[in-house]
Amino acid sequence: MDTLASLLLGVGHGFFGYTHLADPVAAVAQILPELGEAAATDITKHCIGVIGSVHAFVSLVFVMLALSGGAHTGLRKCILGCYLVSFIPLAIYVVYTFPPSGKAPEKPTDMPMPLLGGFGAVALIGMVLGASSAKKVKTKTK
């Protein structure tokens, strides 16, 4: 399960990395539909590009972990845990403290809260239900 969680998070972050880097103006217009492309100032496009770069990095880390095989279960679970206790809470903090539209989400169903909740749930499930990283000790029988 930790491999699947790593792969799913890799794909999710890869999507955001691609959309933010391929067309930062469209990304800004999607985030701030009431302002549209007019909100895409130079600094805003720069920030969207930086965010896209971080998503691309996170994506590659998770894909690498997913493809690393069974020998790295402990490492995968550790990184899923770090992601769960750092990225998700900090993203929620940013959404409420510095909302892009100036207005924080009012309900848990307002974007991006369902997305962050989904990413957090995938990380938690992968961490909790992932394979055991304990090595099996062979015992000799007489």
Side-chain angles (χ1 to χ4, degrees), residues 14 17 22 28 63 69 72 74 78 80-81 86 100-101 105 110-111 123 133 141:
V28 170
V63 169
H72 300 288
C78 177
L80 286 168
S86 64
S101 65
D110 291 345
M111 286 302 276
S133 60
T141 57

Side-chain angles (χ1 to χ4, degrees), residues 7-133:
L7 187 59
L8 289 173
L9 290 170
V11 169
H13 282 280
F15 169 76
F16 285 110
Y18 174 76
T19 58
H20 283 61
L21 291 169
D23 192 354
V25 175
V28 170
Q30 183 180 14
I31 294 167
L32 299 169
E34 62 279 357
L35 299 176
E37 292 184 4
T41 63
D42 288 340
I43 189 66
T44 306
K45 290 185 284 188
H46 170 78
C47 291
I48 292 293
V50 170
I51 293 166
S53 298
V54 172
H55 276 298
F57 170 75
V58 171
S59 172
L60 290 175
V61 168
F62 278 121
V63 169
M64 179 191 73
L65 285 170
L67 300 177
S68 66
H72 300 288
T73 297
L75 179 62
R76 271 192 302 275
K77 290 173 82 171
C78 177
I79 291 178
L80 286 168
C82 290
Y83 175 84
L84 186 63
V85 300
S86 64
F87 181 83
I88 298 299
L90 289 173
I92 292 169
Y93 168 78
V94 167
V95 165
Y96 281 99
T97 307
F98 312 110
S101 65
K103 182 180 171 196
E106 295 176 1
K107 302 176 287 195
T109 56
D110 291 345
M111 286 302 276
M113 299 313 291
L115 184 65
L116 292 173
F119 279 9
V122 167
L124 180 64
I125 290 168
M127 197 175 76
V128 172
L129 298 180
S132 172
S133 60

